[in-house]
Amino acid sequence: MSLDPDDPRTPSQQIAAALRAEIKTGKFAPGEKLPSQHELVERFSVARETIKAALRKLQEERLIVTRQGSGTFVRANTERPVGLRPHVERAFEATHVTIDFAGFSGETLYNAIQETLDKVRIGRLTPESIRLRILISDMTAPMAIPCRAEDQADDPAIRARAQRITDRSIHAVIDAVQELADLDLVKSASTEVRVHNAAPLFKLFVINEEEAFFGFYPVVEHTVTIDGKPMAIYDAMGKDAILFPFTPSDEDSSNDALYVEQARAWFDSMWRTIAREYTS
């Protein structure tokens, strides 16, 4: 691609505009890696310093982040809601993969990783180890939600329904991860699950200890079938939760790095103290 000599903008501004348009139109998706500086030099036929100036402009606009040794990536928060799968897939390019998840049933976690695990299964991704830690609410104990909408009272049958959903998701994750180890596709794989008595109000992902994604669970009223009869309940609706990304970069002056640090500290504190072993 040649730059326009009649364009009043500088070459770096023209290049920034071209890359900005490609990001905004989805040619480069949130979380996707941009071409290397060398590739951009060849594409635009300019000096490396011109490319660096264009990338700095996009960093100032919070459209991209640069990670030492990894490259330059489109920021996750250029669009809402954030699609988690590209970030999970990129995380599995690392030698050692860690994902900490805190939330309700684990459905979101399974949906986010199943396609990536398939790519490990067919050899497109080749991590050596995978470690998942899952922190969820204990549906065997009464809590604020889920509950009857009529009087906001606890109902063991409602919690039993939530427990079945949780068990299904958790075992799907455990089996999918363990299968990779059983097939000798990774050297080690583990999924640890613990529960606590706090109501499920948000979900949190910490990926490879480098990125965090946080979303609030809206509390909604909807009708479910309990013991063969319709019942209106208040429930946490994970599918409606927008994830807010925190993806620190080498040049980032925002609070993203601090948020990731505190998210890790919060998760570890829960894991070590009031959380206990999950039993289905």
Side-chain angles (χ1 to χ4, degrees), residues 129-260:
S129 70
I130 302 171
R131 183 192 182 197
L132 271 60
R133 294 192 299 175
I134 302 174
L135 193 59
I136 52 177
S137 300
D138 184 3
M139 286 296 124
T140 66
M143 57 188 65
I145 52 172
C147 66
R148 291 198 302 259
E150 179 184 19
D151 53 8
Q152 300 183 29
D154 172 66
D155 190 314
I158 295 174
R159 286 189 284 105
R161 172 186 174 274
Q163 185 68 46
R164 288 193 296 273
I165 295 172
T166 298
D167 290 343
R168 183 170 62 242
S169 301
I170 294 301
H171 285 293
V173 172
I174 292 172
D175 292 344
V177 172
Q178 185 58 43
E179 182 188 35
L180 300 180
D182 294 341
L183 294 173
D184 292 325
L185 296 173
V186 295
K187 291 182 179 179
S188 66
S190 67
T191 304
E192 302 172 76
V193 187
R194 295 186 182 181
V195 297
H196 57 81
N197 283 1
L201 300 177
F202 62 86
K203 57 183 169 183
L204 170 71
F205 293 83
V206 180
I207 300 177
N208 283 356
E209 301 185 348
E210 297 175 344
E211 296 181 289
F213 298 83
F214 178 91
F216 294 101
Y217 284 132
V219 178
V220 300
E221 179 179 347
H222 64 123
T223 301
V224 298
T225 300
I226 302 290
D227 296 331
K229 298 178 181 179
M231 179 183 293
I233 69 171
Y234 286 140
D235 204 0
M237 195 57 65
K239 293 179 181 179
D240 294 335
I242 292 175
L243 286 174
F244 293 89
F246 297 87
T247 55
S249 71
D250 297 335
E251 296 84 5
D252 201 351
S253 59
S254 70
N255 288 323
D256 285 18
L258 180 60
Y259 184 90
V260 173

Side-chain angles (χ1 to χ4, degrees), residues 259-276:
Y259 184 90
V260 173
E261 176 188 324
Q262 291 301 303
R264 290 171 55 189
W266 174 86
F267 190 99
D268 287 338
S269 71
M270 291 284 290
W271 191 265
R272 291 193 308 263
T273 58
I274 64 173
R276 56 193 180 277

Side-chain angles (χ1 to χ4, degrees), residues 96-137:
H96 303 289
V97 179
T98 63
I99 297 178
D100 290 340
F101 169 77
F104 192 176
S105 67
E107 274 188 304
T108 305
L109 173 63
Y110 179 67
N111 290 336
I113 69 170
Q114 59 176 328
E115 290 185 10
T116 301
L117 296 181
D118 286 341
K119 291 182 179 180
V120 177
R121 201 171 287 113
I122 63 177
R124 289 179 58 185
L125 294 169
T126 56
E128 289 186 7
S129 70
I130 302 171
R131 183 192 182 197
L132 271 60
R133 294 192 299 175
I134 302 174
L135 193 59
I136 52 177
S137 300

Side-chain angles (χ1 to χ4, degrees), residues 19-37:
L19 294 175
R20 183 188 301 110
E22 292 174 347
I23 292 170
K24 293 292 190 181
T25 57
K27 181 176 179 180
F28 295 115
E32 185 174 348
K33 186 176 181 179
L34 291 181
S36 67
Q37 290 186 17

